[in-house]
Amino acid sequence: MLKIDSIEKGLVIDHIQAGKGMELVQHLNLDKLESSVAIIKNAKSNKMGRKDIIKIENVIDLDLKVLGFIDPTITINVIENDKIVDKINLSLPEKVVNVVKCKNPRCITSIEQEIPNIFRLTDKETKTYRCVYCDMAYDGNN
């Protein structure tokens, strides 16, 4: 039996698509925290079938744009005294900076390494982001 204790004060990142939990840990640098971090992969979910959950002991500043870019269906629960005091729902950010790199070898960001990789949301329906310098679409496999 798997048992992960509840947290008295901290964050619970819930409704993560199964298999994306480790990606979030890397993008948010959660592996470098001094606090306890629990990653639950492939948890049963009535709504999603399977999901990942991340529990962080202590409230930290999270980059909500990164979370929304990776998975806008994620929910963040803020826990204090063992109770949920705030629930944050995410959405697709209009712009992301240095979350993903442009793969166009002719893009200025490939030549000038110090230039930030900036992508803008161009189509909410298809979740399409395009590089602001060369207009190359981010397809999720970049």
Side-chain angles (χ1 to χ4, degrees), residues 9-129:
K9 180 179 180 182
L11 302 170
V12 175
I13 304 173
D14 199 2
H15 303 112
I16 304 168
Q17 291 176 8
K20 290 207 169 190
M22 292 305 293
E23 183 181 348
L24 284 180
V25 168
Q26 290 177 332
H27 279 290
L28 298 171
N29 295 318
L30 297 179
D31 55 332
K32 295 178 178 132
L33 286 178
E34 299 276 330
S35 307
S36 296
V37 177
I39 304 163
I40 304 162
K41 295 175 68 175
N42 295 315
K44 289 181 184 175
S45 168
N46 292 334
K47 186 175 161 186
M48 301 172 68
R50 297 275 177 192
K51 67 179 180 178
D52 290 354
I53 303 168
I54 299 173
K55 290 185 172 187
I56 305 165
E57 191 176 61
N58 282 329
V59 176
I60 61 168
D61 285 332
L62 290 176
D63 189 337
L64 300 180
K65 287 184 177 180
V66 171
L67 288 171
F69 177 73
I70 294 171
D71 187 351
T73 63
I74 289 173
T75 305
I76 301 168
N77 295 316
V78 180
I79 311 292
E80 286 187 23
N81 298 321
D82 293 317
K83 294 183 179 174
I84 296 173
V85 294
D86 192 15
K87 186 174 278 214
I88 302 168
N89 293 309
L90 301 175
S91 61
L92 288 171
E94 291 296 320
K95 178 176 90 172
V96 291
V97 179
N98 290 331
V99 177
V100 291
K101 291 185 176 186
C102 183
K103 292 297 182 184
N104 179 358
R106 295 182 180 187
C107 180
I108 188 75
T109 59
S110 297
I111 299 163
E112 302 289 334
Q113 300 296 318
E114 67 277 357
I115 294 177
N117 282 271
I118 304 171
F119 285 79
R120 287 203 186 278
L121 179 63
T122 56
D123 189 340
K124 281 188 177 183
E125 295 294 318
T126 61
K127 300 177 184 173
T128 301
Y129 282 84

